[in-house]
Amino acid sequence: LTDKPTSLGLPPVEIYRNDTTSTIVKSNLTHWQILKKYILINPSIWFVSIAAAFIYFIRFVITDWGITFMVDNGIKCDVAGRLLVFTPLFGIFGGISAGWISGKFFKNRYIPISLIYLFCSIFCIFGLYHSTNQHMSYWIIVIFFALIGIFIDGPQTIACGVLVTRITVQESIGTAIGIVGIFEYIGVFISGIGAAWIIEKFNWAWLFTICAILSLLAMFLIALIYKKELLQIKS
C-alpha cells in the first residue's frame, strides 16, 4: 500500500463503511506531524510507557527471581518451580477478569480497574515475602503467587495494551504500542540486572519493597490520564 486513503482524498474506511468508533478521531496530518503531535509530545503516551516499565519490572522480578527467593528461604528447587507456575497460570485470568470488570462495572473504562488491581498487588507482594519468611503452608505461597499473577497481568493487559488506543489517534496506535513495548522490555532488562544488584547489596526485603513502590508509581502515572480517558469515552 502506497499511502492511507485520506491522503489521496478518500474518506477513512470507517466513514466509508459507516463503522466509526466513539473513541478514535481520524486525522489528515502527515506521518511526521502525527508522530510529533500524538506520540512525541503526548504526555499520556509517556505516562503509560513508564508505568508499563514498572509493571513489567514487578512481573519479571516475580517470575525470574521467584525460584531463587524460595530456595533462599529453604524451599527445594523442584517444589519452588511448581509453586511459581501459578503466577503465569492465573495471570491469564487477570487479563480476562480486568477486561470483563471494566466492561461490566466501569462502562468500558480501563483506568479504574487498573488502579484497583495495582493497589491489590501491593498487599500481595508483601504477602508473598512474608509467606515464605514465616515458613507457612505451601498453599499460602500458591495463593499469593496466583494473586500476583491476577493483579499484575490485569493492568499489564488493560493499561499497557488497550488503553493506548484511547490516548492517541488511530493512525498512530501501532507506533504508540511499539513505544510502550520498548519500555516494557526496558523494565524486563532492569529487572534482571537491577534485581541482582539489589539482592547482592541489600536483601530480599528491599527488592519486594521496591516492587511495591513501583506499583504505587504506576498507579500515579496511570491516574494522570484518568480525565483524558473519561473525556475520550464521552466524546
Side-chain angles (χ1 to χ4, degrees):
L1 299 177
T2 58
D3 214 327
K4 55 190 177 183
T6 53
S7 66
L8 300 178
L10 299 171
V13 65
E14 292 85 355
I15 295 177
Y16 178 77
R17 300 185 61 180
N18 193 27
D19 189 27
T20 57
T21 66
S22 61
T23 60
I24 300 297
V25 178
K26 293 289 285 186
S27 168
N28 292 319
L29 301 175
T30 66
H31 292 299
W32 168 246
Q33 289 173 327
I34 292 172
L35 177 65
K36 183 171 66 173
K37 181 177 181 179
Y38 295 105
I39 300 293
L40 298 181
I41 62 174
N42 183 353
S44 298
I45 296 295
W46 300 108
F47 293 155
V48 172
S49 297
I50 298 172
F54 293 160
I55 291 171
Y56 267 70
F57 179 93
I58 299 169
R59 177 191 176 190
F60 279 86
V61 162
I62 299 300
T63 56
D64 289 355
W65 290 94
I67 291 180
T68 306
F69 169 67
M70 287 185 283
V71 170
D72 283 355
N73 283 275
I75 298 175
K76 293 182 179 180
C77 189
D78 60 332
V79 176
R82 291 195 293 270
L83 296 176
L84 185 61
V85 75
F86 287 92
T87 294
L89 177 62
F90 277 81
I92 299 172
F93 301 101
I96 295 174
S97 63
W100 182 82
I101 293 172
S102 65
K104 183 72 173 179
F105 300 102
F106 295 105
K107 299 179 179 179
N108 290 319
R109 292 169 57 204
Y110 302 132
I111 291 180
I113 191 62
S114 298
L115 297 179
I116 292 172
Y117 272 39
L118 285 170
F119 182 75
C120 292
S121 73
I122 296 172
F123 296 96
C124 297
I125 289 169
F126 284 121
L128 176 63
Y129 173 75
H130 288 291
S131 67
T132 53
N133 219 25
Q134 300 297 325
H135 301 288
M136 294 183 183
S137 167
Y138 286 161
W139 285 108
I140 301 297
I141 301 175
V142 165
I143 290 173
F144 282 118
F145 270 128
L147 290 175
I148 289 175
I150 291 173
F151 293 132
I152 290 297
D153 278 44
Q156 172 194 325
T157 303
I158 297 298
C160 304
V162 292
L163 179 61
V164 179
T165 65
R166 289 188 173 162
I167 57 178
T168 188
V169 295
Q170 189 166 12
E171 292 98 328
S172 64
I173 289 176
T175 304
I177 292 177
I179 290 178
V180 173
I182 291 173
F183 275 80
E184 290 170 350
Y185 279 104
I186 291 174
V188 176
F189 171 76
I190 296 176
S191 73
I193 61 173
W197 183 83
I198 293 169
I199 296 168
E200 182 178 1
K201 296 295 182 180
F202 301 99
N203 52 40
W204 286 103
W206 273 78
L207 181 60
F208 278 81
T209 301
I210 289 173
C211 286
I213 292 173
L214 291 181
S215 188
L216 277 174
L217 291 175
M219 289 177 61
F220 173 75
L221 291 168
I222 293 173
L224 290 176
I225 57 176
Y226 183 90
K227 289 184 178 180
K228 183 166 186 177
E229 185 195 32
L230 186 61
L231 291 173
Q232 194 78 349
I233 292 177
K234 291 182 177 180
S235 63

